[in-house]
Amino acid sequence: MQDIDWTQIMVGEEKWEFLIEIAIRTILMYFIILIGLRLLGKRGVGQLSVFEMVVIISLGSAAGDPMFYKEIGLMVPLAIFAIIVGAYRLTTYLMAKSKRFDDLVEGKATYIIEKGMFSLHEFRKEALAQDEFFSELRQQGVSHLGQVKTAILETSGCVSIFFFSDEEVQPGLPIMPKEFALASKIVDLDGLYACNFCGKIHKISAGQKTACANCKHDEWVKADDRPRIT
């Protein structure tokens, strides 16, 4: 059996001395990245827009190769960083000057829920699954849509929620998994029911098959009117 070449396994074709060069390259690139991010501003990762995430990923991609490919000199990523940061500064300047350009780059905030119901036209434009959106609401203490006055999908991807006061809470579509799973086309009892697609409330009689006047779907969940527990 051929002897195992541990040097080949550990450092490949390079010599052990190349690890010192890698350490120096990595430290230098670390400080270059810090400077680059500092030039981009002070927004946290959770506040970054899609546009800014692209810039961060581009910086990371430019920083990676020079750390361990010795044929790539450090002036290459420095030039890339300068171009990316310059392009970012120019783009943000143009965004500040032109609302139309800002909307083109960043997009617009979208009203997903208004007065306890889905804004169907707006919701359909977004690549947002209903389950994913309900999860966001539950994490902020929402158990049914009647508690929500307005929900806005921000350009950063975060959801801003404005609530009805306890006195203003109205019957709404339950979004707790067990309750939502009870949706059916024919209800067993008379009462108020929420369309499981758009959240519109209808008064339905037992055994009655009804299509939603808002979205034409025909599955219903018993409406909930409990206030939020805070």
Side-chain angles (χ1 to χ4, degrees), residues 55-126:
V55 173
I56 297 297
I57 293 171
S58 299
L59 291 178
S61 178
D65 289 349
M67 291 184 186
F68 50 88
Y69 290 132
K70 64 180 180 180
E71 61 269 21
I72 301 178
L74 294 183
M75 290 305 297
V76 174
L78 279 174
I80 294 173
F81 270 46
I83 293 169
I84 292 174
V85 171
Y88 173 81
R89 290 292 189 180
L90 175 62
T91 304
T92 53
Y93 172 79
L94 294 175
M95 288 166 60
K97 293 294 184 180
S98 170
K99 182 67 170 63
R100 181 176 296 180
F101 186 74
D102 180 54
D103 290 342
L104 178 65
V105 174
E106 293 273 29
K108 295 181 180 180
T110 304
Y111 283 74
I112 300 295
I113 290 180
E114 293 186 88
K115 296 181 180 179
M117 285 177 49
F118 278 106
S119 298
L120 293 177
H121 177 69
E122 299 297 332
F123 187 76
R124 284 169 175 160
K125 291 193 302 183
E126 302 296 332

Side-chain angles (χ1 to χ4, degrees), residues 15-203:
K15 297 180 180 179
W16 285 97
E17 290 77 8
F18 184 58
L19 295 178
I20 298 174
E21 184 178 337
I22 288 178
I24 295 172
R25 286 169 172 265
T26 301
I27 291 171
L28 291 174
M29 287 308 304
Y30 171 77
F31 286 107
I32 291 171
I33 293 170
L34 284 181
I35 293 170
L37 292 179
R38 179 66 183 85
L39 292 173
L40 294 181
K42 297 182 178 179
R43 297 176 73 176
V45 173
Q47 299 172 305
L48 295 178
S49 65
V50 173
F51 158 63
E52 289 164 329
M53 285 297 294
V54 169
V55 173
I56 297 297
I57 293 171
S58 299
L59 291 178
S61 178
D65 289 349
M67 291 184 186
F68 50 88
Y69 290 132
K70 64 180 180 180
E71 61 269 21
I72 301 178
L74 294 183
M75 290 305 297
V76 174
L78 279 174
I80 294 173
F81 270 46
I83 293 169
I84 292 174
V85 171
Y88 173 81
R89 290 292 189 180
L90 175 62
T91 304
T92 53
Y93 172 79
L94 294 175
M95 288 166 60
K97 293 294 184 180
S98 170
K99 182 67 170 63
R100 181 176 296 180
F101 186 74
D102 180 54
D103 290 342
L104 178 65
V105 174
E106 293 273 29
K108 295 181 180 180
T110 304
Y111 283 74
I112 300 295
I113 290 180
E114 293 186 88
K115 296 181 180 179
M117 285 177 49
F118 278 106
S119 298
L120 293 177
H121 177 69
E122 299 297 332
F123 187 76
R124 284 169 175 160
K125 291 193 302 183
E126 302 296 332
L128 184 66
Q130 191 181 60
D131 288 346
E132 179 186 359
F133 182 65
F134 285 170
S135 175
E136 290 275 353
L137 296 182
R138 289 194 295 267
Q139 290 178 51
Q140 299 197 46
V142 177
S143 61
H144 67 86
L145 297 189
Q147 299 166 342
V148 180
K149 187 174 185 179
T150 306
I152 303 172
L153 181 63
E154 306 291 357
T155 56
S156 65
C158 297
V159 178
S160 299
I161 302 176
F162 300 88
F163 301 100
F164 285 115
S165 66
D166 287 350
E167 295 75 22
E168 296 175 317
V169 168
Q170 51 193 288
L173 172 66
I175 62 172
M176 304 301 284
K178 288 184 178 179
E179 296 175 0
F180 187 78
L182 297 176
S184 62
K185 294 187 177 183
I186 299 177
V187 302
D188 297 328
L189 300 171
D190 296 352
L192 293 177
Y193 288 83
C195 171
N196 81 328
F197 186 78
C198 71
K200 185 173 179 62
I201 302 300
H202 289 66
K203 188 173 182 179

